Amino acid sequence: MLSHRLRATALLPFVLTLALSGVVAPAHADWDKIKQSGSLKVAVYDQFAPFSDRSGGIDVDVAQALAAKLGLKLSLLPFPAGENLNDDLRNMVWKGHYLGYGPADVMLHVPVEPQLINENGKVTIFAPYHVETVRLVRSARSMPVYDGIDALAGKTIGVEKVSIAAMVLLGEGNGRFRDKVRIFETAAEALEQLKAGQLDAVLANRSEIDAVFRDDPAFPLNEVAFQRLPRAGWAVGMAVRKDDQDVAKLLQAAVNDMKASGELKAIFARYGVHEQTP
């Protein structure tokens, strides 16, 4: 699994070269089909708290808001991440999975990034609604001060397996921190172990940290200056089939309205996450 948690080697070029794509003039046939169905089918990753987990989360609420603005009911399609983002776009946007689920009308939480756009000519990637960053959250008790990467020496740090956080931490300084790194299935598991006092710190996406600790002063956040980690983060948006430009235009307008009205910010706040708008 690589895609939805912005994972490792296949994604590193994506997060190092970020850009936004535009929305072009629409046709009308595909929107008519969706309108006639009465439902907007939205693909979201499963087991991806705080964005989509057990049918709830930020992306689920965003999906519900988008459907409502288009005058439709929501048909949610949670799905497991494939081997890479290209697989996910094929399975959930333009073709459908060989096991029989998908495609959806739109897929959420897609990096709005030039290389991914260039590699996937059958989709349109657009409407960024959040900027994700990697941060270090530490126990103020066991690690009272963080004044740079050297402060990690000798500390037990948790990361999610095969994540960009794990990649940069394990690779830093030819692996000088490797012996003290603890690998977990998910960032949420690592964060719970930090809360329980079993770790000194966790390197993870800020949204995942925010959702667990909600600005708890006992667990302060720090920016970490790894050479291979983009400080500005990466934007995530949505994807539709290339031919569905009418749908893209309507969804882009809906996202613009949610930003302007404060609705998008309120959704993130509901889960304790500091929304970072592109």
Side-chain angles (χ1 to χ4, degrees), residues 23-24 124 126-127 240 244-253:
V23 178
V24 301
T124 293
F126 66 108
V240 299
D244 289 358
Q245 296 304 310
D246 50 341
V247 182
K249 184 177 182 180
L250 290 165
L251 290 170
Q252 179 72 68

Side-chain angles (χ1 to χ4, degrees), residues 138-145 155 193-201 217-220:
R138 56 188 168 86
S139 164
R141 179 183 57 79
S142 67
M143 194 175 175
V145 176
K155 301 298 183 181
Q193 288 299 300
L194 175 62
K195 186 186 290 189
Q198 302 302 307
L199 299 170
D200 297 308
F219 297 95

Side-chain angles (χ1 to χ4, degrees), residues 33 70 132 172 176 202 209-210 213 243 253 262 273:
K33 292 177 183 177
L70 270 58
E132 190 61 89
E172 178 67 23
R176 64 178 173 136
V202 168
I209 296 169
D210 284 346
F213 290 109
D243 293 339
V273 176

Side-chain angles (χ1 to χ4, degrees), residues 109 190 200 205 215 238 241 267:
H109 222 92
D200 297 308
N205 290 351
D215 297 320
M238 55 192 73
R241 286 175 291 275
I267 288 173

Side-chain angles (χ1 to χ4, degrees), residues 86 89 94 115-125 240-243 245:
N86 296 338
L89 290 169
W94 62 268
Q115 183 173 334
L116 186 65
I117 292 168
N118 291 338
E119 289 179 353
N120 290 274
K122 295 185 177 183
V123 305
T124 293
I125 299 172
V240 299
R241 286 175 291 275
K242 194 73 172 180
D243 293 339
Q245 296 304 310

Side-chain angles (χ1 to χ4, degrees), residues 40 63 85 88 146 164 171 175 213:
L40 183 70
L85 283 157
D88 295 339
Y146 176 83
I164 195 166
F213 290 109

